[in-house]
Amino acid sequence: MEEYNEFFRIGQYTDAEAMTGCTVILCEDGVTGGVSVRGGSPNTRDTDALKSENNRKFVHGVTLSGGSAFGLAANAGVVDFLEENGIGRDMGITFVPNVVGASLFDLRIGRADVRPNYQAGRNACEQAFSGQQFQAGNYGAGTGCSVGTINGAKNAMKGGIGLYTMRHGNLWVTAVIAVNAVGDVYEEELGKIIAGARKPGEKKIGFSEELFLEHYQNEEALFDGNTVIGCVMTNATFPKAKMNKLADISHNGIARAIRPSHTTYDGDTLFVLGANQIEASFEAVSILAVEAVRRAIIAGTKTAATYGDYLAYQDV
């Protein structure tokens, strides 16, 4: 059993017909949270509350969803579910859960008119409390993910959601990442790109940076609607300001695995949650966080399944 199960519950809602879904990370007792948004086209909920200078002390849930701006509706279902189960800030008259979230663009796959909604958020929470095992690839927020979209949908590849845990002694860091990038996915161990933009008639994979350079005088959106989103969990203890810094550094894992990363056309967003269980140096946690994010991206890419023109890693 993964270490994170002691402090966090993960649940997923998947609509395999419409090719969209959402993933929730729940923490009943509340944990310290942070966030970093580096992409140029984000869709987020309540990220301002996580700023170091603001009063929000604890987070009870993170929602990662497909559906672009429409998919943020799933957060409302998560909030209501948690309130009904007595999870959140006890205000005397009710419980107010602190739920943050981000959505990615997956409307070009499957049905554009079906997006994660209120009920999808509730369903994901129900799965989290039922003990659902995490599934990587075309599940939850990863259902409609794609990579290498700069050359159009027919020349892109399938992305997915991945999870990876790094451990050192009693310290652990787990990353859950939905891989939906305009760029290509690079695996350091193989020293090559494993998924990304293709060109008709060519076997090579990974033309994203080349195509960006070819169109260097084109200021129009080359191919918008992407975004890598995720959540990093750890048992380490840090104040809110350090959690925000950790979220910022965790993006280095995206930079190591996605080429190019953090583009104008991505809304790359990472949340970080700390269970405050053990003391650890910030540098040690940062090293594990970056690697967990990188490996979660590789896992999400390698477990994705082909859908239509979006070929998966395992089929190329």
Side-chain angles (χ1 to χ4, degrees):
M1 179 180 291
E2 290 274 9
E3 292 91 339
Y4 68 80
N5 285 318
E6 185 178 350
F7 308 102
F8 302 95
R9 298 177 186 266
I10 300 177
Q12 302 197 94
Y13 166 80
T14 302
D15 186 334
E17 179 183 356
M19 289 303 288
T20 193
C22 61
T23 301
V24 297
I25 299 94
L26 308 178
C27 23
E28 299 157 70
D29 297 328
V31 293
T32 308
V35 66
S36 177
V37 180
R38 283 201 191 176
S41 302
N43 275 302
T44 58
R45 170 197 159 108
D46 222 7
T47 51
D48 276 357
L50 295 182
K51 288 183 177 180
S52 302
E53 67 271 21
N54 289 338
N55 190 43
R56 182 71 53 84
K57 290 183 173 62
F58 297 110
V59 175
H60 302 97
V62 173
T63 308
L64 309 174
S65 68
S68 189
F70 307 104
L72 292 175
N75 286 272
V78 177
V79 170
D80 282 3
F81 179 92
L82 294 180
E83 180 198 22
E84 292 168 13
N85 285 274
I87 298 171
R89 288 175 289 150
D90 186 354
M91 306 302 291
I93 53 174
T94 190
F95 290 88
V96 180
N98 296 327
V99 179
V100 296
S103 66
L104 54 83
F105 187 99
D106 58 3
L107 302 182
R108 289 192 177 89
I109 291 184
R111 292 181 56 179
D113 62 334
V114 177
R115 307 98 179 209
N117 55 16
Y118 176 91
Q119 191 58 47
R122 291 188 64 93
N123 288 349
C125 291
E126 290 167 0
Q127 294 298 322
F129 275 83
S130 72
Q132 178 192 57
Q133 292 295 307
F134 179 85
Q135 292 179 288
N138 295 13
Y139 296 94
T143 306
C145 283
S146 58
V147 296
T149 55
I150 188 173
N151 208 25
K154 290 187 176 181
N155 297 305
M157 290 182 65
K158 190 69 181 66
I161 194 167
L163 179 149
Y164 202 91
T165 297
M166 295 292 297
R167 307 172 182 85
H168 188 81
N170 293 326
L171 172 65
W172 56 261
V173 178
T174 297
V176 177
I177 308 292
V179 189
N180 191 60
V182 69
D184 306 322
V185 180
Y186 177 82
E187 184 174 3
E188 291 181 358
E189 288 81 356
L190 298 178
K192 67 177 184 179
I193 289 170
I194 61 171
R198 297 175 291 137
K199 287 184 178 180
E202 295 203 28
K203 292 184 178 180
K204 177 187 173 184
I205 298 170
F207 293 92
S208 291
E209 291 186 329
E210 177 182 321
L211 289 167
F212 269 111
L213 292 174
E214 284 182 9
H215 296 277
Y216 76 98
Q217 290 184 309
N218 184 358
E219 295 183 1
E220 298 178 1
L222 295 174
F223 201 83
D224 56 358
N226 306 279
T227 297
V228 175
I229 57 176
C231 181
V232 176
M233 298 159 274
T234 180
N235 62 339
T237 302
F238 292 123
K240 190 176 179 183
K242 281 289 190 181
M243 294 302 287
N244 277 304
K245 185 62 177 177
L246 181 61
D248 194 45
I249 290 175
S250 296
H251 273 272
N252 292 345
I254 296 178
R256 283 171 57 183
I258 304 293
R259 300 185 173 183
S261 61
H262 307 119
T263 74
T264 305
Y265 316 106
D266 293 292
D268 301 339
T269 301
L270 290 181
F271 298 97
V272 173
L273 304 176
N276 301 313
Q277 295 298 308
I278 70 168
E279 297 295 330
S281 76
F282 185 76
E283 285 68 28
V285 178
S286 297
I287 290 169
L288 296 185
V290 169
E291 186 66 1
V293 169
R294 184 188 74 83
R295 295 197 185 199
I297 290 171
I298 301 303
T301 303
K302 286 190 169 182
T303 54
T306 293
Y307 179 83
D309 292 325
Y310 295 86
L311 293 180
Y313 163 84
Q314 54 192 310
D315 293 324
V316 174

